[in-house]
Amino acid sequence: MPSTPAEQLAPLISADDLQARISELAREIALAFAAQTPVLVGLLKGSFMFMADLARALHRQGMAPTVDFMIVASYGAGTQTSGSVQLLSDIETEIRGRPVLLVDDILDSGHTLDFCLRRLRRDRPAQLRTCILLDKPARRVIACPTDHVGFTVPNEFIVGYGLDYQGRYRELPGLAVLNISADTPTGRIQTELTPRPGFLESAH
Ligand code: IMP
Ligand code: MG
């Protein structure tokens, strides 16, 4: 008899480790853009937390970036993307002749980043770099330039810190692997993984 699959979270990267790596990324980015002030373009919704922390980390490096967002949707069922990307909301900033940093949460097949890079290149920015919190190279279909990468991650479905599964788990301060148990003819398969104490609580 079919039953609702159970979802379990296995801790992957803690909130503290995220913040430490984001500070390093900000140092890298400050060096790459030298004295120039980039426009940060974040992809919603997944990058909202990363954008907020990255902007503050860049501030600590003495940078004063401007911030804009694109809303893109890639349609697909469950944890797979279909490859068809749609632009739901475009940037408002005039980026012609300006340095731009495209920021996203996770690079998976590459369809989303490729689509957004093509869109931004049309406006002829002076410089266009990418900053991706998580790179999942095992699933790449389209090659994409990754200038600044937070962490390379295994081929697992990851939630938390802005990343969702069906709209949930975005609020988690750290990252976790989502395991969905399945019923099989031989019985119920379930991975028993318990988050470390405190993992799901905010550091503040
Ligand atoms: P891509 O177009 O296949 O590279 O996928 C990019 C988008 O798919 C990301 O911006 C995420 O929104 C979503 N995505 C891909 N992998 C994951 C994951 O492991 N967890 C949550 N969202 C994901
Ligand atoms: Mg996304």
Side-chain angles (χ1 to χ4, degrees):
M1 205 173 82
S3 65
T4 313
E7 297 171 14
Q8 293 197 322
L9 299 177
L12 183 68
I13 301 172
S14 71
D16 286 350
D17 289 347
L18 281 172
Q19 296 306 319
R21 182 69 188 120
I22 291 167
S23 293
E24 289 175 3
L25 281 175
R27 280 194 286 277
E28 277 181 27
I29 292 164
L31 282 175
F33 283 94
Q36 294 172 304
T37 302
V39 180
L40 307 185
V41 175
L43 305 187
L44 292 175
K45 301 171 188 160
S47 75
F48 79 100
M49 274 203 197
F50 180 40
M51 274 287 273
D53 286 334
L54 185 65
R56 282 177 284 205
L58 290 171
H59 166 77
R60 292 194 293 273
Q61 292 299 314
M63 300 187 91
T66 54
V67 170
D68 207 336
F69 292 97
M70 290 163 91
I71 305 179
V72 288
S74 49
Y75 292 102
T79 60
Q80 304 283 322
T81 63
S82 66
S84 117
V85 183
Q86 199 183 340
L87 182 61
L88 302 182
S89 175
D90 206 351
I91 50 167
E92 293 174 343
T93 311
E94 172 62 73
I95 58 167
R96 192 185 188 92
R98 297 178 67 183
V100 171
L101 182 67
L102 180 56
V103 178
D104 201 11
D105 53 354
I106 186 164
L107 180 57
D108 191 29
S109 71
H111 285 294
T112 304
L113 199 68
D114 182 68
F115 175 92
C116 293
L117 282 168
R118 286 169 193 275
R119 154 68 195 91
L120 294 174
R121 277 191 205 112
R122 280 211 313 269
D123 285 359
R124 302 191 179 285
Q127 195 182 356
L128 181 55
R129 300 179 69 83
T130 60
C131 178
I132 307 298
L133 180 63
L134 306 175
D135 184 8
K136 209 196 274 185
R139 303 213 335 146
R140 196 80 82 257
V141 174
I142 301 183
C144 290
T146 49
D147 298 307
H148 306 280
V149 173
F151 300 90
T152 301
V153 293
N155 188 9
E156 303 275 8
F157 197 79
I158 298 166
V159 295
Y161 197 68
L163 288 88
D164 74 309
Y165 174 64
Q166 298 184 345
R168 289 176 294 120
Y169 302 119
R170 292 194 200 273
E171 77 286 3
L172 301 181
L175 288 161
V177 171
L178 177 69
N179 293 290
I180 304 170
S181 67
D183 284 341
T184 69
T186 52
R188 192 165 178 81
I189 298 172
Q190 192 153 342
T191 331
E192 292 296 341
L193 291 161
T194 314
R196 279 198 300 276
F199 178 77
L200 300 179
E201 274 96 61
S202 163
H204 304 289

